[in-house]
């Protein structure tokens, strides 16, 4: 690993994450400014730690000279949505953007993992401008509902404790929790229009309170 200057190696990935977070947050803002439902609720991002990269290199037998092309999630973006339908809307938005290129998709919603994990993964190629010119970075975008994200966060925390080898009872409870989480998403989708109408009402009401008319004054 000494051949890789890690601080220098990770700079473009950090730049990519910072730029993508701004772009997706601005996209959410654009929907809201136009008084439209935003399929994006929250945007977060991270760059893998050096220890995490090294561990995955060992586990996946990734060679140093193939690291940039074989490890697709060094730069990671997570987009949280209110509804399952929003996830697919976000995926469509990624396809029509001209500042990135979708190169791979994995739908773990229609085809959940045995553990119960659900999410939609999109790998993009994203160009950044560096001091030495343009560099194309691979980044993974995970798109999921708030409920899916809650389950995934808990499962990830438990994974640190058990290193993936969950006791049978914990494993079964996680699976049941994943199904309950997805049932919640399905129920919310059934009353989606009612929820959006209510949210719009509160948004309009807040705007009216913040901008009173002359009569109200």
């Amino acid at each position: 690993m000494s051949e890789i200057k890690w601080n220098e190696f990770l700079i473009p990935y950090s730049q990519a994450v910072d730029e993508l977070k701004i772009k997706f947050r601005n996209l959410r803002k654009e929907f809201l400014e136009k008084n439209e439902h935003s399929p994006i609720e929250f945007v977060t991002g991270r760059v893998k730690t050096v220890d995490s990269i090294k561990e995955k290199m060992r586990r996946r037998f990734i060679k140093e000279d193939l690291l940039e092309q074989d490890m697709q999630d060094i730069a990671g973006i997570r987009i949280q949505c209110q509804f399952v339908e929003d996830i697919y809307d976000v995926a469509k938005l990624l396809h029509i953007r001209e500042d990135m290129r979708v190169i791979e998709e994995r739908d773990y919603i229609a085809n959940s993992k045995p553990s119960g994990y659900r999410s939609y993964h999109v790998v993009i190629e994203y160009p950044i401008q560096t001091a030495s010119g343009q560099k194309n970075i691979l980044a993974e975008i995970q798109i999921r509902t708030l409920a899916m994200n809650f389950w995934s966060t808990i499962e990830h925390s438990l994974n640190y404790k058990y290193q993936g080898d969950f006791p049978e009872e914990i494993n079964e409870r996680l699976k049941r929790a994943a199904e309950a989480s997805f049932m919640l998403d399905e129920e919310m989708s059934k009353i989606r229009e009612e929820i959006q109408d209510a949210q719009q009402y509160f948004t309009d009401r807040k705007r009216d309170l913040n901008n009173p008319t002359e009569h109200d004054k």
Side-chain angles (χ1 to χ4, degrees), residues 25-38:
R25 286 169 181 168
N26 281 343
L27 185 58
R28 166 180 162 76
K29 183 179 179 181
E30 182 181 344
F31 278 106
L32 297 179
E33 288 292 334
K34 294 193 305 188
N35 212 27
E36 298 178 4
H37 169 71
S38 170

Side-chain angles (χ1 to χ4, degrees), residues 83-97:
F83 305 101
V84 174
E85 294 85 355
D86 292 339
I87 294 173
Y88 295 100
D89 287 341
V90 172
K92 291 176 183 177
L93 289 172
L94 296 180
H95 275 280
I96 64 175
R97 293 189 68 99

Side-chain angles (χ1 to χ4, degrees), residues 26-160:
N26 281 343
L27 185 58
R28 166 180 162 76
K29 183 179 179 181
E30 182 181 344
F31 278 106
L32 297 179
E33 288 292 334
K34 294 193 305 188
N35 212 27
E36 298 178 4
H37 169 71
S38 170
I40 297 172
E41 190 68 13
F42 298 110
V43 180
T44 57
R46 63 96 186 100
V47 176
K48 265 187 181 298
T49 64
V50 174
D51 287 343
S52 180
I53 294 173
K54 290 179 179 179
E55 187 277 329
K56 189 169 184 179
M57 289 176 71
R58 289 191 295 268
R59 178 163 43 87
R60 298 286 183 88
F61 303 101
I62 298 174
K63 297 180 180 179
E64 289 185 1
D65 58 338
L66 297 177
L67 179 58
E68 290 181 293
Q69 66 187 63
D70 284 358
M71 196 174 296
Q72 301 173 328
D73 63 343
I74 296 177
I77 296 292
R78 184 169 298 161
I79 297 176
Q80 296 180 52
C81 310
Q82 289 189 2
F83 305 101
V84 174
E85 294 85 355
D86 292 339
I87 294 173
Y88 295 100
D89 287 341
V90 172
K92 291 176 183 177
L93 289 172
L94 296 180
H95 275 280
I96 64 175
R97 293 189 68 99
E98 297 183 357
D99 55 347
M100 61 189 70
R101 182 170 69 92
V102 174
I103 62 174
E104 187 175 325
E105 294 173 85
R106 295 185 291 274
D107 188 347
Y108 296 121
I109 300 171
N111 303 285
S112 62
K113 291 187 177 182
S115 64
Y117 175 85
R118 286 183 170 90
S119 186
Y120 196 97
H121 293 193
V122 180
V123 178
I124 64 167
E125 183 181 73
Y126 179 71
I128 64 166
Q129 301 301 318
T130 71
S132 56
Q134 179 171 299
K135 183 177 180 65
N136 293 327
I137 295 294
L138 292 183
E140 182 182 72
I141 302 173
Q142 297 178 352
I143 317 168
R144 56 180 65 149
T145 64
L146 302 171
M148 291 174 192
N149 190 67
F150 173 71
W151 184 92
S152 179
T153 300
I154 298 302
E155 192 268 349
H156 188 69
S157 299
L158 287 170
N159 195 48
Y160 271 111

Side-chain angles (χ1 to χ4, degrees), residues 177-214:
E179 290 307 311
S181 172
F182 193 62
M183 286 178 64
L184 172 63
D185 279 332
E186 288 185 319
E187 290 300 316
M188 292 299 103
S189 289
K190 291 175 183 176
I191 56 172
R192 180 183 181 185
E193 290 187 8
E194 290 290 334
I195 295 171
Q196 291 177 341
D197 285 345
Q199 290 173 338
Q200 188 61 53
Y201 171 81
F202 283 114
T203 298
D204 292 342
R205 182 62 177 159
K206 183 178 179 181
R207 185 182 296 112
D208 290 341
L209 291 173
N210 291 334
N211 300 282
T213 62
E214 287 299 321

